[in-house]
Amino acid sequence: DIVFFYDQLRDKQQASTSCINVSKFIEVFKKELDKGNDILSISLSSGLSSTYQNSLIAKDELIKDYPDRKIICVDSLLASYGTGMLIYDAGMLYKQGKSIEEVANLLNNNKLKATALFTVMDLYYLYKGGRVKTSSYYLAKAIKIKPLLHVNNEGKLVPFGKAIGRKKSLITLVEKMVSTLTNPEEAIIYIGHGDCEEDVDYVIEQINKRINVKG
């Protein structure tokens, strides 16, 4: 249950992640290859996880046994909703009749044009994960500093600013996003959230005050 998961996070319960290992990639890839399907794998940024590297190892192990099949692995250089944007684009391109090679090439050529910006309500998990020093964590907690972060072109998570208070952090995200758009009326903006729907409504309101967008 997703609500239970976020309730656990709010209670500062232990949470961890792990990458997809080689054996799991082989298991999943093999099922599709045995059906006669080609594979386009889009992975979490190599700057944040070894998932992409593991997909390449699985590909190298399998391709010799399936010489007539295609396995293409794409490093998204993004995370979370950023990776989701590429997956969505891949599906739309496939529906348009693009070949697997064409889809992979378009993703690789355009992925750096995608920008993933975010902030957090609480620095606790950044602190526990070693991304925030102890002194910085307690200072930020005391005066309600919210970090503003993004995934850079090397696929690494880096800060680009900070704001005092939740609403100010959301407004700053919107302003940063607007400044990166070259053709806002043709832009498709994705908004992801961690169980904070009211904040999403506020962000949409702030975006609509500044620009007209496609969707």
Side-chain angles (χ1 to χ4, degrees), residues 125-133:
Y125 288 103
L126 292 175
Y127 159 62
K128 293 294 287 185
R131 296 185 184 277
V132 175
K133 294 179 180 178

Side-chain angles (χ1 to χ4, degrees), residues 40 42 76 78 80-96 103 107 187-190 214-215:
L40 174 61
I42 304 170
S76 73
L78 293 162
S80 188
Y81 251 59
T83 304
M85 287 190 287
L86 286 193
I87 294 169
Y88 176 82
D89 287 346
M92 295 302 292
L93 290 167
Y94 175 76
K95 286 184 176 181
Q96 293 169 16
V103 173
L107 294 183
I188 298 177
I189 298 169
Y190 298 77
K214 184 176 181 179

Side-chain angles (χ1 to χ4, degrees), residues 6 10 17 27 50 58 64 67 83 109 114-115 121 123 130 136 153 173 182 189:
Y6 284 114
R10 281 186 280 265
T17 61
E27 176 190 336
S50 60
K64 56 182 177 289
T83 304
N109 290 336
T115 302
M121 181 79 76
L123 277 71
S136 299
N153 286 352
L173 281 184
T182 56
I189 298 169

Side-chain angles (χ1 to χ4, degrees), residues 46-168:
S46 61
L48 299 171
S49 167
S50 60
T51 301
Y52 171 66
Q53 185 61 37
N54 289 345
S55 74
L56 293 177
I57 295 170
K59 170 187 173 179
D60 289 342
E61 289 193 21
L62 286 169
I63 199 65
K64 56 182 177 289
D65 295 325
Y66 297 87
D68 296 328
R69 298 268 57 84
K70 299 170 185 174
I71 305 175
I72 301 177
C73 301
V74 173
D75 179 0
S76 73
L77 294 178
L78 293 162
S80 188
Y81 251 59
T83 304
M85 287 190 287
L86 286 193
I87 294 169
Y88 176 82
D89 287 346
M92 295 302 292
L93 290 167
Y94 175 76
K95 286 184 176 181
Q96 293 169 16
K98 302 291 186 184
S99 69
I100 189 171
E101 294 91 351
E102 288 175 318
V103 173
N105 287 337
L106 285 166
L107 294 183
N108 281 321
N109 290 336
N110 292 311
K111 62 189 177 185
L112 293 183
K113 296 178 183 177
T115 302
L117 309 171
F118 71 99
T119 187
V120 294
M121 181 79 76
D122 190 322
L123 277 71
Y124 178 75
Y125 288 103
L126 292 175
Y127 159 62
K128 293 294 287 185
R131 296 185 184 277
V132 175
K133 294 179 180 178
T134 301
S135 58
S136 299
Y137 168 65
Y138 285 106
L139 176 62
K141 185 176 180 180
I143 61 176
K144 299 183 175 164
I145 293 176
K146 308 299 181 184
L148 307 169
L149 306 106
H150 77 121
V151 180
N152 66 14
N153 286 352
E154 287 74 48
K156 296 179 180 179
L157 182 63
V158 295
F160 69 87
K162 56 189 174 183
I164 304 295
R166 178 65 168 173
K167 284 199 171 181
K168 180 59 178 175

